Each structure stands twice: as structure tokens, then as C-alpha cells.
Amino acid sequence: MNPRLNQGLIVKLRPAGPWRSGPDSGARNRVDPIYHSDSLYAAVTAAMSALGVRDAWLDATARHADGPAVRFSSCFPFLGETAFVVPPRSVWPPAAGTGASVSASKTRWRSARFIPLHLVADLLAGQPPHDGQWTVDGASECLLPAGRPGPFRNNVRWSAAIDRLTGNAERHSTACIEFRRDAGLWAVVSFSDEAAHARWSGLVRGALKLLADSGFGGERSRGWGRSAQPEFVEGMLPDLILPHTEPDTATPRHGDAASADESPRIEVAPEPPQPPPQPGATSHWLLSLFTPGPGDAVDWKRGNYTVIARGGRVDSPAGFGERKKPLQMVTEGSVLVAGDSIHGAAPDVAPDGFAHPVFRAGFALSIPLPAQVTA
């Protein structure tokens, strides 16, 4: 059995109304189109508490010294049967398309934050998309066949807080995402082994069904963040994402791919020339946010990655609304060069003196990239 294979689960959520995943700035008039993996883990943990298995869940994930039994990717958009994803930064934007350079291309490849998943295999095989057949939807930042609408758009909903004594009203706005009827969000769940799958698969499904009723993200008291009952597809990873791949032991191409994400980012790129690749090094394409653990031997002089500052507020009876400690995390779409696998960590980001730990899940859900010609 291939040691790289492990059991996985694709989850599809079809929103029943607006969704809100707030940006790291906290601005109410902005929204993040990605529901990040650390937020998904936190939501599932809250649902596990409601199901009465919180301590066992934490022992198997955030408090497990040998790595979590369950990992989550971030949630990415889909439209119909097309799943979109943040592409590997080592191959996006394409170096050339049908004989034209990126700068001369009619398609603004750099403006696409999400591309169809099936294009990733073509890019890794050195087959760039054909210029003129694609367009970037400005509202969703998705790469789409020319003339097709995007899966979602950002909108602003207005509300008013009314003082019952004086009758005075204070109007305020909140940004949200509105999905098309045949669109939604999808994510990947990875189980560390067969025992973890047997122990947690049913409970993870139950937690996600509970969250579909109660809501994900912000403004849940208004009914936001709800969805129809989740759809699940079982399979083996990484074949659920990139079928029949072999890991790339070469150094990934470096580029200065621009991201349309409004969150603060730091570009990290090595100065040429690069040192020769280390034996056994693998290129890992992140589908989640990532915080390196003590056993992760990442070669930070290589790869193609960005980091983002994650903050937020505590949602706990012990101190609702207190600010979490900020944490720099490697973003989705980053390509890291490391050993056979990377694991990640879940640091405690609770405010000083807080009543209990508050874990920020930085577990890596990554896909080993196939061998490819690098630039």
C-alpha cells in the first residue's frame, strides 16, 4: 500500500442564504471569499462539544502529540460540477499561453484567485490554458470559460439597532457573500489512518450536518451561514484531488504571482542562484492554512509561498469577544519544499491569563506535486 495514500472525504455545502467570513482586518464592509481551515476546525470543534465529544476530539487533534487524526482544508467555491481551488503558486500564473507571454495575454491570469481544479493537472503537465477561451470574473475572482457567470458575488446588507426607550435607530451595514443557486463551497477532510477514519468519520459528518443547520461564520443569529444538508464523497487522498500523482523531488519554480486577496501578505522568495535540491525533498501544495510544527523540516529558502496574519476574537463563555493573539500562517496555494510529509501545529492563541487554551489549527492538508519541468 502506498504510504502516501490515506482516506479522505470531500464535503459540498450549498448555502441557503448569505455567508460571512470576515477579513482579518475585522472590517464589517469587507468579506473573505475563503472560509479558512482554522475557522472550519473551530466550527467543527464547537459542534463536537454539542455532540458531547469535545475532550476526545481535542485529544485526537489539537492535543495529539503525533499529529491530528483529522485535518481540514479550507472551503473553496464551486459552480455546478466545477470545483475551484487556489492553484499552486509554482505554476500560476501560467508562464505562457498559446504562444503569448503573460504580459501580452488578453486574459488577466494574475487576477484569478481561484481556477477550476481540473486545470491544475494540465498546468503541472506543462499545458497552459488557451488565451481567449477564459475570463476572470471580477466579483468572485474565479477563472471561468468566457461568457460564464461567477459562482458568487459580494453584497452589503443593512440593519438598524433600535433603542426601545427613545426610539432612536442606528443604521449599519455588513458585507456578505451571496451564492448562485447551483453554487456553494467545498472542502476536503483527511483522516490519518483507517482507525481515525473509523472513529471520526461518522462524527465529522454529524458535526457538519449540525453546522449546516446552525450556520458557519459570522452573523449566524441572523440566519447567515446555513446550508442544505452536506453532500459527501469518499475516496483516497491525494487521488481525490490529483489522480495518480507522483511527488516532485525537484525545486518548484519561483514566481511573483499576484493574489487578489485583500488580507495582508508577505511575499517570500529566495535570491538566485538557488542551492541544489536536497535528496528526498517533496513539493507540497497547501489546501489549508499552515503553521509549522517542531518536526516539520521545511526548506524556507525554497518553495513559493505567502503568509497571512490571522487574528479574530474568542467565542467562549469564559470571555466572549476577547482578542486572540495574532499568528502568521502560510496561505492556501503555497508550495513548500520539505520531507516526505508536513504536519503542522495548533498553537494556543488565547489572551494572556485566559481561562482555557484557544487553539488555532495550522495542520497541513497538502497534496504532493508530481514531477514537472521547473523554470
Side-chain angles (χ1 to χ4, degrees):
M1 181 177 178
N2 187 342
R4 293 180 181 275
L5 293 176
N6 59 286
Q7 290 177 293
L9 186 68
I10 288 181
V11 183
K12 295 182 73 173
L13 300 167
R14 299 183 182 274
W19 273 50
R20 174 170 174 77
S21 179
D24 290 284
S25 65
R28 294 187 65 85
N29 62 344
R30 302 193 70 85
V31 68
D32 193 333
I34 294 181
Y35 190 67
H36 294 285
S37 55
D38 56 345
S39 297
L40 181 56
Y41 173 82
V44 170
T45 299
M48 292 293 184
S49 180
L51 294 173
V53 292
R54 181 191 62 186
D55 288 340
W57 170 253
L58 291 175
D59 287 342
T61 54
R63 297 195 290 239
H64 198 276
D66 296 329
V70 185
R71 303 167 188 263
F72 298 96
S73 76
S74 296
C75 295
F76 307 109
F78 72 83
L79 177 62
E81 297 301 316
T82 301
F84 295 91
V85 71
V86 179
R89 289 178 56 86
S90 57
V91 294
W92 190 262
T98 60
S101 67
V102 173
S103 59
S105 174
K106 297 179 182 179
T107 306
R108 300 181 63 185
W109 306 112
R110 295 179 185 275
S111 300
R113 185 176 183 184
F114 307 103
I115 71 170
L117 180 59
H118 66 82
L119 283 184
V120 174
D122 294 340
L123 289 165
L124 294 172
Q127 302 172 3
H130 292 278
D131 190 25
Q133 296 183 0
W134 299 87
T135 186
V136 180
D137 175 55
S140 64
E141 302 172 303
C142 290
L143 183 71
L144 297 156
R148 290 285 304 276
F152 64 86
R153 65 177 183 176
N154 296 346
N155 202 355
V156 174
R157 299 286 184 97
W158 289 88
S159 302
I162 300 176
D163 189 324
R164 295 185 180 181
L165 296 177
T166 65
N168 294 333
E170 181 178 348
R171 193 165 178 250
H172 62 275
S173 62
T174 307
C176 64
I177 291 177
E178 296 176 340
F179 290 87
R180 288 172 53 88
R181 181 175 298 179
D182 54 347
L185 294 169
W186 71 282
V188 184
V189 185
S190 173
F191 301 94
S192 60
D193 52 34
E194 292 183 2
H197 179 266
R199 173 70 175 91
W200 292 107
S201 178
L203 284 167
V204 167
R205 288 170 180 255
L208 291 169
K209 290 178 180 179
L210 177 60
L211 290 167
D213 288 334
S214 59
F216 297 80
E219 302 295 319
R220 296 189 299 275
S221 62
R222 300 172 63 178
W224 292 12
R226 298 178 183 176
S227 78
Q229 284 298 293
E231 302 168 22
F232 301 102
V233 178
E234 293 268 4
M236 300 298 292
L237 291 171
D239 288 353
L240 276 172
I241 306 300
L242 286 180
H244 308 299
T245 63
E246 292 296 332
D248 176 17
T249 57
T251 304
R253 175 178 69 87
H254 283 270
D256 54 353
S259 171
D261 187 6
E262 296 294 336
S263 303
R265 295 178 183 270
I266 302 173
E267 298 288 342
V268 183
E271 296 183 1
Q274 299 182 47
Q278 298 297 319
T282 300
S283 298
H284 300 271
W285 170 33
L286 285 175
L287 299 183
S288 66
L289 295 179
F290 171 67
T291 298
D296 290 318
V298 178
D299 186 348
W300 297 107
K301 295 181 180 180
R302 300 182 180 281
N304 196 322
Y305 55 93
T306 58
V307 299
I308 186 173
R310 294 289 284 167
R313 296 181 181 273
V314 176
D315 184 1
S316 168
F320 183 83
E322 294 194 38
R323 287 190 177 275
K324 301 176 184 178
K325 292 179 180 178
L327 182 67
Q328 297 285 330
M329 305 183 76
V330 184
T331 61
E332 303 92 346
S334 294
V335 176
L336 301 180
V337 176
D340 186 63
S341 62
I342 51 177
H343 303 285
D348 180 8
V349 295
D352 292 333
F354 201 70
H356 59 75
V358 177
F359 297 108
R360 171 80 72 185
F363 306 124
L365 199 158
S366 64
I367 303 297
L369 294 183
Q372 64 188 67
V373 177
T374 57

